[in-house]
């Protein structure tokens, strides 16, 4: 152990192995873990916990946990615990394929929440008690305060609420990270809520470290594994690497990187994750500063950003996700929201979560926090999926996460539809003509024409017997297209 | 004219008849009118305008207007202009039956917006220019400032933005109304937005009157018609009167009145309209104060409240609707939102606007502002409509205004379903067992059981070929029930 990371003498006495820390977690309890995207999440304790669960199961003893995080995490956490069949309940967002499969088979419970509402709901008590917090930090100060890692998420709330706290030290992350975070302790439940005094994206409201009562810490597990090595070892990335998945996704990432050559300067960001595209924009000098709850970078970029962390500390601010996603701030700042989607219907209702209406993909994540309160709310997707077997523009969304009032711009590779100020029938015309793939455009136009003639009402024309027929046809035949 | 209502000498010189004022409005222009529910809306000028439009049409000259208001208004405004076929476009909310019919026949354009977003959108410019404002006031001060009537709505924004302003003096409303309003001039577009400094429902941030540059006022039309007389004369109410329709509706009204006998004291309200039930609660001493953008009272109660306006001035605050419905404030205060609905599906997705998915009823109004940001979001309806031909609990909402994440409690006469913390499948079970009518409960349970077995994914089970079949059956046969 390198003591420069653990400056509190009291904490040094509590260092233990990941395996011993895992023994502190009882079956049928609730565990709150750090992590917001594959960033700042513990790995050693969850892997040891997964091994313990597998051993218990082999011995015929049931062992399941309720898992709370910030958002998605990585394979050593969600993936390992799900493969060990150790998760009975998961919130508030998931992108792990093993979890997704179990959820859609009905073998794991999944509570898909607006990200900004998780911490208040935990304080309100409607989620039940939190038994254990497992939080990745990059160091412990002499006074016991905790230096956060590369994401903040719900960590402040888990630390405040948990019955016991297990810390993992990430020794790979550069100590220069200290000072990048802004941990706001001013949130409260009503009637004691006050204005969150954030007026500019760069305002700092709080403290650089988490407060944590040392008496509540029962274990500290060191963690030195390099991010790149983890990813490669799990077979999730080839040795040459690929970008990490995130709620925001590759399309948004590419859009951000594209801003480098655009005639804009002095940009700022107020977002939930900082991805590669945003870092490229920052390195180009175009992006002046960025506020988020997590750095969610590709392994390659993580390495280089970590080396130069001191250069970024004044330009990046990491906040709790109830602040990064807070409607008050998003509305005040007038954020331009750019989110991916699964499908949009011709009226601009967007499905972000459920494939064919029932099969969950990831979750609503922060998209509902941002889309409704944004100054301009943009949704993006390719116009087709599965080799054109699926049209992402459909007559009727099979599940609605973002109602038409919250969707102002839709973009596909076919074009951009600016729906601001347009009425339902106008929206349909523009969406079909601008965003739909040529293979599906005539089918959509035909549906809409017939709906205009045969709908029960004409404000938002709809053919009830056909509205979901494209999805039913896909499930039955493997394609939304009518075979000719 | 009674000069105590018009204390500004400059304004007295501009008094004219409603007919002359109506001549100032050109065809094919946009008119912003006061009014939020049947409260504080002009009547004399709209009636004169409707007569002028009818005369123009008889003479073969086209005459249509784009109409903006706060929310719904009354028959002398929406009803009269619609009957004269003088409205080509309407925002942001409608409950007038003539307008509704024209909208659903495709003869009138209707832009159904979140109420809190109307004023910002007008400032942003995406709604186009505003040519004329017609605003009901109760008086004009010596300095030209305007004493508001019984609703505020978007009046501040219309007065600030319009090319010309026509004022109607409501001489029936008690002058003691002065001091009840709180007109906040601190709103701005980003990047200049600052926190709205409202921490308690009773805080006052602004001024009691509207500012209005006297040079922009081109007409003042007096208005002395008594509210009750108007209603009776139009044949809309019998002489014995009925309660007025409002977006919040009779169910919510009854719930509020029911709180009189509940063991709660010192209640407050932060809402968009104050209806009879809330006034009864205030008169009982249980409701300490109420903040809203409009007093929307039954004619009977209007009369008595108007007489005692001075007693209410310290307990009622009327604000602009972008403040009364602001997500920042609603989230901060932790409002308990109680809204009506058309239907809810078994997962708790709520349709507030479109009957059978396509036929608009009123509009989303403020429900989206409140439901997503509420501390507890409650939706209410009888479990059936049309003599049990329609179940308000359905397998799949035919239109979604409030996604399941924004719906925490559903109440019908059958029972109350507390959905907080429940997963989709749990929600379905509770909604079916608690809220559905006995006639439809077995059908819903049967659908859900078969969906659990036959759905593409199991997170939110759905049978694509059946999901909207209840609505299709109603349209085809007049009942959602299967004839047996």
């Amino acid at each position: 152990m390198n003591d420069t990371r653990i400056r509190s003498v009291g904490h040094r006495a509590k260092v233990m192995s990941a395996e011993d820390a895992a023994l502190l977690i009882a079956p049928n309890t609730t565990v709150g873990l750090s992590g917001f995207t594959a960033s700042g999440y513990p790995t050693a304790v969850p892997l040891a916990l997964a091994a313990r669960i597998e051993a218990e199961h082999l011995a015929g003893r049931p062992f399941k946990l309720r898992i709370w995080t910030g958002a998605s995490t990585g394979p050593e956490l969600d993936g390992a615990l799900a493969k060990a069949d150790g998760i009975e309940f998961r919130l508030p967002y998931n992108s792990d394929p093993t979890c997704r499969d179990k959820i859609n088979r009905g073998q794991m419970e999944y509570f898909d929440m607006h990200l900004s509402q998780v911490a208040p709901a935990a304080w309100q008590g409607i989620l039940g008690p939190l038994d254990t917090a497992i939080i990745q930090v990059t160091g412990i100060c002499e006074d016991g305060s905790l230096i956060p890692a590369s994401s903040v998420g719900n960590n402040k709330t888990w630390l405040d609420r948990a019955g016991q706290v297990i810390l993992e030290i990430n020794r790979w992350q550069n100590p220069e990270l200290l000072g990048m975070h802004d941990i706001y302790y001013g949130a409260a439940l009503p009637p004691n809520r006050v204005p969150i005094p954030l007026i500019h994206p760069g305002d700092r409201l709080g403290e650089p470290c988490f407060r944590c009562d040392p008496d509540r810490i029962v274990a500290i597990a060191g963690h030195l594994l390099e991010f790149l090595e983890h990813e490669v070892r799990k077979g999730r990335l080839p040795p040459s690497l690929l970008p990490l998945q995130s709620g925001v996704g590759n399309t948004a990432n590419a859009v951000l990187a594209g801003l480098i050559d655009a005639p804009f300067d002095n940009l700022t960001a107020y977002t939930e994750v900082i991805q590669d595209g945003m870092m490229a924009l920052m390195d180009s000098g175009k992006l002046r500063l960025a506020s988020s709850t997590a750095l969610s970078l590709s392994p390659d970029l993580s390495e280089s950003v970590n080396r130069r962390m001191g250069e970024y500390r004044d330009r990046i601010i990491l906040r709790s996700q109830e602040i990064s996603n807070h409607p008050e701030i998003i509305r005040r700042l007038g954020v331009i929201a750019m989110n991916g989607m699964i499908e949009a219907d011709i009226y601009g209702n967007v499905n972000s979560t459920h494939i064919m209406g029932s099969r969950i993909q990831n979750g609503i994540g922060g998209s509902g926090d941002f889309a409704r309160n944004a100054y301009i709310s943009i949704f993006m997707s390719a116009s087709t999926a599965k080799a054109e077997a699926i049209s992402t523009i459909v007559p009727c969304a099979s599940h609605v996460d973002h109602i038409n009032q919250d969707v102002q711009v839709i973009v596909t590779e076919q074009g951009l539809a600016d729906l601001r100020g347009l009425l339902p029938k106008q929206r349909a015309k523009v969406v079909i003509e601008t965003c739909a793939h040529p293979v599906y455009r005539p089918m959509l136009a035909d549906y809409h024409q017939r709906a205009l003639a045969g709908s029960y009402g004409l404000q938002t024309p709809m053919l009830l017997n056909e509205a979901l027929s494209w999805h039913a046809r896909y499930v039955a035949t493997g394609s939304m297209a009518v075979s000719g």
Side-chain angles (χ1 to χ4, degrees), chain A:
Chain A
M1 284 286 168
N2 181 342
D3 283 346
T4 62
R5 295 279 185 162
I6 309 177
R7 295 179 181 274
S8 153
V9 176
H11 288 76
R12 282 183 199 157
K14 295 176 175 171
V15 172
M16 64 178 68
S17 70
E19 290 69 26
D20 287 346
L23 289 172
L24 296 168
I25 297 163
N28 301 315
T29 59
T30 299
V31 182
L33 298 109
S34 66
F36 193 105
T37 68
S39 170
Y41 66 102
T43 54
V45 176
L47 286 171
L49 187 57
R52 181 180 165 210
I53 290 170
E54 283 175 351
E56 291 289 307
H57 287 174
L58 279 174
R61 289 186 290 268
F63 198 125
K64 295 233 185 189
L65 298 168
R66 296 168 63 87
I67 299 295
W68 302 354
T69 65
S72 58
T73 65
E76 305 90 337
L77 198 165
D78 277 309
L81 290 174
K83 281 176 187 150
D85 203 22
I87 307 179
E88 66 173 5
F89 176 100
R90 179 76 171 80
L91 70 75
Y93 184 87
N94 173 68
S95 67
D96 180 79
T98 308
C99 287
R100 181 187 300 140
D101 186 57
K102 284 178 183 285
I103 291 165
N104 283 310
R105 291 174 185 276
Q107 298 164 355
M108 184 189 297
E109 292 179 338
Y110 176 37
F111 193 9
D112 184 23
M113 298 179 74
H114 295 306
L115 297 185
S116 70
Q117 294 180 343
V118 178
W123 283 102
Q124 199 179 345
I126 59 177
L127 302 176
L130 178 63
D131 301 293
T132 306
I134 308 178
I135 308 293
Q136 190 192 68
V137 298
T138 57
I140 302 173
C141 301
E142 285 178 19
D143 65 357
S145 60
L146 308 174
I147 305 171
S150 58
S151 72
V152 181
N154 287 314
N155 297 3
K156 167 194 153 289
T157 296
W158 298 169
L159 288 166
D160 284 350
R161 298 282 299 175
Q164 63 177 355
V165 174
I166 297 170
L167 301 175
E168 273 196 25
I169 310 288
N170 181 331
R171 292 172 187 275
W172 172 83
Q173 286 190 331
N174 189 325
E176 290 284 324
L177 200 60
L178 175 58
M180 182 177 284
H181 307 83
D182 183 47
I183 313 301
Y184 178 60
Y185 279 88
L189 293 183
N192 298 316
R193 282 186 181 149
V194 296
I196 301 164
L198 193 155
I199 298 174
H200 306 292
D203 289 348
R204 288 178 183 274
L205 320 176
E207 307 167 12
C209 293
F210 295 114
R211 300 175 191 165
C212 187
D213 177 355
D215 292 341
R216 296 174 61 224
I217 298 178
V218 295
I220 299 173
H223 171 52
L224 279 168
L225 295 176
E226 196 181 311
F227 196 58
L228 293 177
E229 284 181 287
H230 275 303
E231 293 298 305
V232 173
R233 191 171 64 245
K234 286 283 166 184
R236 199 180 167 204
L237 286 174
S240 62
L241 303 180
L242 290 172
L244 286 172
Q245 181 189 18
S246 84
V248 179
N250 296 334
T251 311
N253 227 344
V255 167
L256 287 169
L259 285 170
I260 292 173
D261 299 320
F264 307 116
D265 289 300
N266 230 3
L267 297 168
T268 64
Y270 194 84
T271 182
E272 63 179 38
V273 287
I274 296 176
Q275 295 186 291
D276 291 26
M278 197 168 279
M279 289 305 295
L281 197 58
M282 183 167 276
D283 287 341
S284 79
K286 294 289 185 112
L287 181 67
R288 183 165 59 83
L289 67 87
S291 163
S292 78
T293 196
L295 281 172
S296 177
L297 305 175
S298 68
D300 262 356
L301 194 59
S302 257
E303 185 78 51
S304 82
V305 167
N306 191 50
R307 273 198 308 274
R308 297 176 292 136
M309 200 59 85
E311 302 170 28
Y312 290 110
R313 199 169 45 205
D314 295 335
R315 301 171 68 197
I316 295 177
I317 302 169
L318 302 181
R319 311 178 192 278
S320 292
Q321 75 192 62
E322 67 181 312
I323 304 299
S324 70
N325 287 31
H326 202 297
E328 166 176 346
I329 311 295
I330 294 164
R331 174 78 71 112
R332 179 180 305 145
L333 296 177
V335 167
I336 296 172
M338 300 181 285
N339 285 289
M341 64 181 184
I342 287 173
E343 66 184 5
D345 67 27
I346 56 177
Y347 300 111
N349 299 291
V350 162
N351 175 3
S352 297
T353 57
H354 284 73
I355 293 172
M356 304 301 140
S358 61
R359 193 173 286 189
I360 192 100
Q361 182 68 4
N362 299 324
I364 194 166
S367 56
D369 299 322
F370 283 94
R372 180 156 301 178
N373 298 291
Y375 202 58
I376 305 175
S377 171
I378 303 165
F379 284 87
M380 304 178 288
S381 170
S383 69
T384 61
K386 303 272 181 194
E388 298 181 12
I390 293 174
S391 175
T392 53
I393 308 296
V394 291
C396 176
S398 59
H399 180 95
V400 176
D401 296 289
H402 305 290
I403 65 174
N404 63 85
Q405 283 89 344
D406 300 335
V407 180
Q408 297 171 326
V409 175
I410 293 180
V411 199
T412 71
E413 85 288 352
Q414 299 292 320
L416 182 148
D418 181 354
L419 305 176
R420 289 175 298 176
L422 298 191
L423 307 164
K425 280 169 286 195
Q426 297 168 323
R427 293 168 73 101
K429 190 165 185 293
V430 172
V431 168
I432 293 169
E433 291 176 359
T434 312
C435 298
H437 190 276
V439 166
Y440 290 99
R441 199 177 295 154
M443 288 171 63
L444 289 164
D446 173 62
Y447 170 85
H448 191 233
Q449 279 307 311
R450 287 183 295 110
L452 281 165
S455 178
Y456 186 66
L458 285 178
Q459 171 71 3
T460 307
M462 178 178 193
L463 296 176
L464 290 160
N465 287 317
E466 266 189 58
L468 296 173
S469 65
W470 293 31
H471 301 87
R473 186 159 58 240
Y474 174 79
V475 171
T477 72
S479 175
M480 285 185 174
V482 178
S483 58

